[in-house]
């Protein structure tokens, strides 16, 4: 924000006359009250700016004084009232050295403030009820001439780590402008002189303070001292005898709190310098400066002396009110200023009047239809102790059959209730939650061994011998030598179990997926896996529920168990659930992400035991946050069985080399993995898209 500074010299108000520190012409007492009715600006020969003022009667020559920062020329017309259109009373124009003007009426005097690029000489022409102010073009005059010199620049470090820049000078009156600009503190000595030896840059980093450097330069007719700073700090500037001191200290917790309090004020910056001026006049001046609509109570009286340099106008107003026991109240575009006790009494009276009006106001009845929420829930909200919108005489009841509220209260309170219900009784988004439980398997079996079979018949004397894998076959072959036929699978030694179909070990398609943009790709993967007999989708539960409403679904069976509490007692039968159950509570975030609180149980009947069948269980409880329509793996269980075994004929398997013919080795690997996928989607409906 542009910093605007107004430096007003000391104005003494005595006997209704204005006296300034820089007066161009002596004041003359007005004989009658007249109005300013017209103002015009024009350019005269030599690029001079003219202001033509027309009054309702004759007026004396105005008094005038100048301001240097910013450059302004001020003309006072005692006994004149401002009767201009507000649009004509303040204008931005560019004519010669003039950049604009503003007309202010204090009640007894009309002041014309002319903004200029620099202060110049002027002259006044009076023609009965008309006055023409002519401003010279480019001749610059030095108002507030000073005669002082910057004699020394010193730097010191304090005991608490603060840095002090001490600037010594000669002379009595020292006009100084002190500003903060980014990481610099700038001190400008107006119309000062300085020895050439002091015009340099001083490096003070080695002192270990918040000050890095001090740069002294000339700027037009002024001397500028720029203090480079670092880190978080607080500063204070003051004059002591013939020294100007700037102290920079590290910021503390207390000073940081005070700084945050300071930045409550964001108005344009203003400088005020008055001695024994009426408080009402200062308030009116600030109001004119910022264009504030203000009403000042008649009880605001007294005078004030103040010197404020480059502070926000709202902060200056706050300090003026606080120091004089005043307060302000804002009502729309109008600010009311009065003593604090008067405003407090007014507010108390207004509150009592409102309470009295509410007590005497007639009661009305109205039916309010609740469309999407439960009427009973709305009553609980309306009657909550910390948000009770009903008056002490108000009543509310519910018709659950039609979901309607019956409200009896004053018209004002009923309007408040209906406004609240319009924000609460809205359709709630719905969420579709689809879950898939997938079982993937992989088996691999390797075996190496030998199979031996055969049949033979021989005669040993009168005995006939038969040889076969079994005794029955050997007896048959002994009595019927021609029937030596073996069926498939009859072996003397079978160290390799015949592999059945599907045990050759297939490769498994990978399902190591963290998340997918949708369920389509997942369905394709699972379909391909099921087609190759590599995986099986155990279950696919699906739910539709409202936002932040718990929902559950289950399917399965109840297994009976018969128990006897004591001997001879009648057996009792109890049931244990073996079900697939999904319980979920969704929550839709403002950016359309979905939070899920999920509990999933997958139970099934297991192996029989002496006390009844066992129940195999798989359970998952988790909280997740996913995008709308995103598929994510909530969890999984991986089981691996790796088994190696050896079958052999004792002793014979130990024969070197040949022992391998009497043994077999096998390796069995089983991998089982259960994966749980979830895909939430915000359901589209007529109410939400």
């Amino acid at each position: 924000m542009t910093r605007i500074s107004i430096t007003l010299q000391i104005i003494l108000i005595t006997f209704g006359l204005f006296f300034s520190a820089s007066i161009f012409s002596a004041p003359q007492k007005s004989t009658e009250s007249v109005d300013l009715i017209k103002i015009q600006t024009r350019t005269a020969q030599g690029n001079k700016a003219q202001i033509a003022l027309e009054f309702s009667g004759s007026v004396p020559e105005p008094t005038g004084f100048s301001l240097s920062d910013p450059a302004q020329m001020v003309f006072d017309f005692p006994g004149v009232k401002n009767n201009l259109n507000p649009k004509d009373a303040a204008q931005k124009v560019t004519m010669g050295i003039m950049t604009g003007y503003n007309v202010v009426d204090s009640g007894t005097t009309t002041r014309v403030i002319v903004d200029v690029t620099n202060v110049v000489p002027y002259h006044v022409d009076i023609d009965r009820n008309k006055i023409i102010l002519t401003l010279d073009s480019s001749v610059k005059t030095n108002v507030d001439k000073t005669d002082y010199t910057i004699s020394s620049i010193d730097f010191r470090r304090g005991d608490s780590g603060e840095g002090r820049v001490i600037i010594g000078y000669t002379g009595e009156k020292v006009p100084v402008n002190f500003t903060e600009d980014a990481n610099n503190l700038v001190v400008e000595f107006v119309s000062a002189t300085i020895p050439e030896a002091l015009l340099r840059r001083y490096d003070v980093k080695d002192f270990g303070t918040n000050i890095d450097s001090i740069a002294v330069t000339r700027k037009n007719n002024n001397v500028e001292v720029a203090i480079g700073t670092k880190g978080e700090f607080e500063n204070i500037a003051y004059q002591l005898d013939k020294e100007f001191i700037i102290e920079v200290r590290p910021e503390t917790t207390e000073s940081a709190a005070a700084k945050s309090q300071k930045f409550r004020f964001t108005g344009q910056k203003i400088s005020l310098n008055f001695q024994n001026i009426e408080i009402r006049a200062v308030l009116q001046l600030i109001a004119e400066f910022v264009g504030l609509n203000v009403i000042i109570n008649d009880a605001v009286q007294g005078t004030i002396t103040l010197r404020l340099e480059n502070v926000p106008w709202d902060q200056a107003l706050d300090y003026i009110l606080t120091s004089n026991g005043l307060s302000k109240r804002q009502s729309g575009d109008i600010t009311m200023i009065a003593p604090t006790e008067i405003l407090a009494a007014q507010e108390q009276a207004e509150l009592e009047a409102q309470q009295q009006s509410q007590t005497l106001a007639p009661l009305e009845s109205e039916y309010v239809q609740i469309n999407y929420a439960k009427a009973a829930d709305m009553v609980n909200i309306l009657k909550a102790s910390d948000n009770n919108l009903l008056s002490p005489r108000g009543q509310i009841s519910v018709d659950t059959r039609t979901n309607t509220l019956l409200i009896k209260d004053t018209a004002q309170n009923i309007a408040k209730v209906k406004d609240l219900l319009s924000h609460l009784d809205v359709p709630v988004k719905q969420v579709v939650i689809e879950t898939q439980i997938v079982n993937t398997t992989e088996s691999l079996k390797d075996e190496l061994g030998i199979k031996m079979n055969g049949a033979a018949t021989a005669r040993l004397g009168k005995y006939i011998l038969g040889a076969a894998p079994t005794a029955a076959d050997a007896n048959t072959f002994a009595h019927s030598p021609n029937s030596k036929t073996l069926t498939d699978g009859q072996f003397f030694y079978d160290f390799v179990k015949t592999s059945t179909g599907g045990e050759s070990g297939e490769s498994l398609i990978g399902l190591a997926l963290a998340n997918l943009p949708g369920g389509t790709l997942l369905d394709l993967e699972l379909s391909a896996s099921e087609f190759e007999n590599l995986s099986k989708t155990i279950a696919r539960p699906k739910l539709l529920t409202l936002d932040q409403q718990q929902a559950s679904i289950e399917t399965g069976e109840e297994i009976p168990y018969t128990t006897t509490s004591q001997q001879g007692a009648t057996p009792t039968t109890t049931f244990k659930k073996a079900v697939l159950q999904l319980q979920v509570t969704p929550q839709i975030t403002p950016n359309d992400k979905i939070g899920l609180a999920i509990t999933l149980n997958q139970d099934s009947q297991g192996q029989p035991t002496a006390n009844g069948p066992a129940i195999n269980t798989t359970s998952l409880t988790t909280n997740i946050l996913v995008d709308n329509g995103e598929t994510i793996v909530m969890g999984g269980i991986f089981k691996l069985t790796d088994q190696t075994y050896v079958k052999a004929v004792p002793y014979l398997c130990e024969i070197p080399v040949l022992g391998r013919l009497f043994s077999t080795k096998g390796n069995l690997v089983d991998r089982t993995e259960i994966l749980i996928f979830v895909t939430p989607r915000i359901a589209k409906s007529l109410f939400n898209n």
Side-chain angles (χ1 to χ4, degrees):
M1 179 177 292
T2 304
R3 297 184 177 180
I4 300 177
S5 173
I6 299 179
T7 304
L8 301 180
Q9 299 180 354
I10 299 176
I11 301 175
L12 301 178
I13 303 178
T14 307
F15 306 111
L17 298 178
F18 284 83
F19 289 88
S20 171
S22 177
I23 300 178
F24 295 119
S25 59
Q28 297 180 15
K29 191 173 182 180
S30 177
T31 58
E32 59 179 341
S33 177
V34 296
D35 294 338
L36 174 61
I37 59 176
K38 189 175 182 180
I39 184 171
Q40 288 181 326
T41 58
R42 59 197 181 197
T43 303
Q45 185 178 3
N47 197 29
K48 296 180 180 180
Q50 285 187 338
I51 303 174
L53 305 169
E54 184 175 348
F55 303 88
S56 61
S58 299
V59 293
E61 183 176 344
T63 62
F65 63 93
S66 66
L67 307 175
S68 59
D69 186 15
Q72 290 180 332
M73 300 179 68
V74 181
F75 302 92
D76 287 336
F77 295 87
V80 175
K81 293 185 178 180
N82 178 20
N83 197 23
L84 295 175
N85 188 301
K87 294 182 179 180
D88 297 331
Q91 293 287 338
K92 294 293 183 182
V93 294
T94 302
M95 293 182 180
I97 55 94
M98 181 172 61
T99 60
Y101 67 86
N102 188 18
V103 180
V104 180
D105 187 352
S106 66
T108 59
T109 301
T110 293
R111 173 171 292 179
V112 179
I113 304 172
V114 183
D115 297 324
V116 293
T117 55
N118 56 274
V119 178
V120 296
Y122 75 98
H123 58 90
V124 180
D125 295 321
I126 301 178
D127 182 11
R128 289 179 297 182
N129 64 331
K130 294 182 180 180
I131 290 181
I132 299 177
L133 305 173
T134 303
L135 311 181
D136 286 350
S137 57
S138 60
V139 179
K140 184 173 181 180
T141 61
N142 288 327
V143 182
D144 298 335
K145 272 195 120 174
T146 58
D147 184 14
Y148 69 99
T149 301
I150 305 299
S151 59
S152 64
I153 296 178
D154 192 11
F155 178 82
R156 298 175 188 174
R157 186 183 190 277
D159 296 335
S160 301
E162 68 273 16
R164 291 192 188 96
V165 180
I166 305 173
I167 304 171
Y169 55 85
T170 62
E172 299 298 332
K173 184 179 179 183
V174 182
V176 177
N177 294 329
F178 179 74
T179 59
E180 299 181 30
D181 180 16
N183 292 328
N184 291 325
L185 304 176
V186 181
V187 185
E188 188 176 35
F189 295 87
V190 180
S191 301
T193 59
I194 186 172
E196 292 292 335
L198 297 181
L199 293 174
R200 50 171 293 194
R201 186 178 186 277
Y202 303 85
D203 190 346
V204 293
K205 291 181 180 178
D206 295 339
F207 286 88
T209 68
N210 290 95
I211 300 178
D212 276 346
S213 62
I214 306 170
V216 184
T217 58
R218 278 200 182 97
K219 187 176 181 182
N220 298 328
N221 293 330
N222 305 330
V223 175
E224 184 178 273
V225 180
I227 303 172
T229 59
K230 63 180 179 180
E232 299 295 331
F233 63 90
E234 59 180 344
N235 65 84
I236 184 173
Y238 56 93
Q239 288 176 292
L240 183 62
D241 292 333
K242 292 188 177 183
E243 291 180 338
F244 189 86
I245 302 171
I246 305 99
E247 184 174 304
V248 177
R249 64 186 66 179
E251 187 178 66
T252 62
T253 304
E254 294 78 8
S255 62
K259 188 175 181 180
S260 64
Q261 179 74 6
K262 172 185 175 182
F263 285 114
R264 293 188 300 113
F265 306 104
T266 58
Q268 293 178 331
K269 295 201 172 180
I270 185 175
S271 295
L272 299 172
N273 188 351
F274 292 106
Q275 181 177 359
N276 294 329
I277 186 173
E278 291 185 358
I279 297 175
R280 300 175 63 88
V282 175
L283 296 177
Q284 186 173 357
L285 179 62
I286 295 176
E288 292 288 348
F289 174 71
V290 299
L292 187 67
N293 297 320
V294 62
I295 297 176
I296 303 176
N297 191 278
D298 292 339
V300 177
Q301 299 294 335
T303 61
I304 186 174
T305 298
L306 70 161
R307 183 180 185 274
L308 300 176
E309 294 290 340
N310 202 28
V311 297
W313 71 264
D314 48 351
Q315 185 179 17
L317 178 61
D318 186 73
Y319 286 167
I320 292 172
L321 297 180
T322 303
S323 61
N324 291 276
L326 304 175
S327 296
K328 63 179 179 179
R329 295 294 184 268
Q330 191 75 27
S331 178
D333 294 333
I334 299 177
T335 301
M336 183 177 185
I337 298 177
T340 303
E341 60 272 13
I342 292 180
L343 288 179
Q346 289 180 352
E347 292 177 350
Q348 180 65 27
E350 290 176 0
L351 179 60
E352 293 176 355
Q354 290 178 0
Q355 293 176 347
Q356 184 71 14
S357 175
Q358 191 175 35
T359 303
L360 301 177
L363 298 180
E364 299 180 3
S365 297
E366 189 163 344
Y367 298 95
V368 179
Q369 177 70 51
I370 305 300
N371 298 314
Y372 306 106
K374 292 183 179 179
D377 294 340
M378 295 295 100
V379 171
N380 294 334
I381 296 176
L382 295 173
K383 287 187 175 182
S385 58
D386 55 346
N387 189 34
N388 192 353
L389 298 181
L390 300 177
S391 67
R393 298 187 296 156
Q395 296 179 356
I396 186 170
S397 57
V398 181
D399 180 16
T400 56
R401 184 177 60 86
T402 60
N403 206 41
T404 302
L405 296 179
L406 173 59
I407 306 174
K408 186 177 182 180
D409 208 332
T410 62
Q412 183 180 5
N413 284 359
I414 291 178
K416 292 180 181 179
V417 171
K418 292 176 67 176
D419 180 66
L420 177 61
L421 293 176
S422 66
H423 291 83
L424 299 180
D425 186 25
V426 294
V428 180
K429 292 183 178 181
Q430 301 181 100
V431 183
V432 178
I433 303 102
E434 183 176 353
T435 307
Q436 298 187 56
I437 305 173
V438 180
N439 185 16
T440 64
T441 59
E442 179 183 1
S443 297
L444 178 64
K445 181 181 291 186
D446 295 325
E447 291 182 325
L448 177 63
I450 187 172
K451 299 178 181 180
M452 300 178 58
N453 67 352
T457 301
R459 182 177 292 277
L460 183 59
K462 63 177 183 179
Y463 298 103
I464 300 176
L465 302 177
T470 65
D473 289 341
N475 183 52
T476 301
F477 296 158
H479 290 84
S480 302
N482 295 328
S483 63
K484 296 190 291 297
T485 302
L486 295 177
T487 60
D488 187 22
Q490 291 182 322
F491 303 101
F492 285 107
Y493 302 104
D494 183 5
F495 294 138
V496 179
K497 182 178 180 181
T498 303
S499 296
T500 60
E503 294 187 355
S504 58
E506 301 94 342
S507 62
L508 179 64
I509 188 170
L511 287 175
L513 304 174
N515 57 61
L516 294 170
T520 304
L521 294 179
L522 175 64
D523 291 339
L524 293 176
E525 290 278 357
L526 295 179
S527 298
S529 178
E530 291 177 2
F531 180 77
E532 297 180 18
N533 199 24
L534 302 179
S535 67
K536 179 181 179 182
T537 300
I538 300 176
R540 185 177 290 182
K542 192 172 184 179
L543 282 174
L544 174 65
T545 183
L546 291 174
D547 181 29
Q548 301 188 42
Q549 296 296 316
Q550 186 184 81
S552 63
I553 187 173
E554 68 175 31
T555 181
E557 59 181 345
E558 291 189 353
I559 302 173
Y561 289 87
T562 302
T563 58
T564 303
S565 59
Q566 58 185 2
Q567 188 174 3
T570 302
T572 58
T573 301
T574 58
F575 292 87
K576 177 69 174 178
K577 286 186 177 182
V579 298
L580 167 66
Q581 184 185 53
L582 173 65
Q583 183 174 293
V584 59
T585 303
Q587 181 176 358
I588 302 174
T589 64
N591 57 350
D592 279 346
K593 292 184 180 292
I594 304 175
L596 298 175
I598 295 180
T599 299
L600 180 67
N601 291 312
Q602 169 65 39
D603 301 336
S604 61
Q605 185 172 338
Q607 297 294 330
T609 66
N611 297 322
I615 296 179
N616 302 324
T617 63
T618 301
S619 178
L620 178 142
T621 300
T622 186
N623 290 274
I624 58 175
L625 179 66
V626 297
D627 289 326
N628 179 27
E630 180 183 26
T631 299
I632 190 168
V633 180
M634 292 192 301
I637 300 175
F638 179 76
K639 295 168 61 176
L640 173 65
T641 301
D642 191 349
Q643 180 181 4
T644 301
Y645 58 89
V646 178
K647 297 180 182 179
V649 177
Y651 305 113
L652 296 180
C653 66
E654 298 177 2
I655 300 175
V657 182
L658 296 179
R660 294 183 179 180
L661 300 176
F662 300 96
S663 65
T664 182
K665 292 183 179 180
N667 181 255
L668 176 63
V669 178
D670 284 330
R671 296 185 181 91
T672 301
E673 187 170 7
I674 299 177
L675 300 175
I676 302 172
F677 300 86
V678 64
T679 306
R681 295 183 180 88
I682 299 176
K684 294 184 178 180
S685 67
L686 296 176
F687 307 109
N688 50 75
N689 297 316

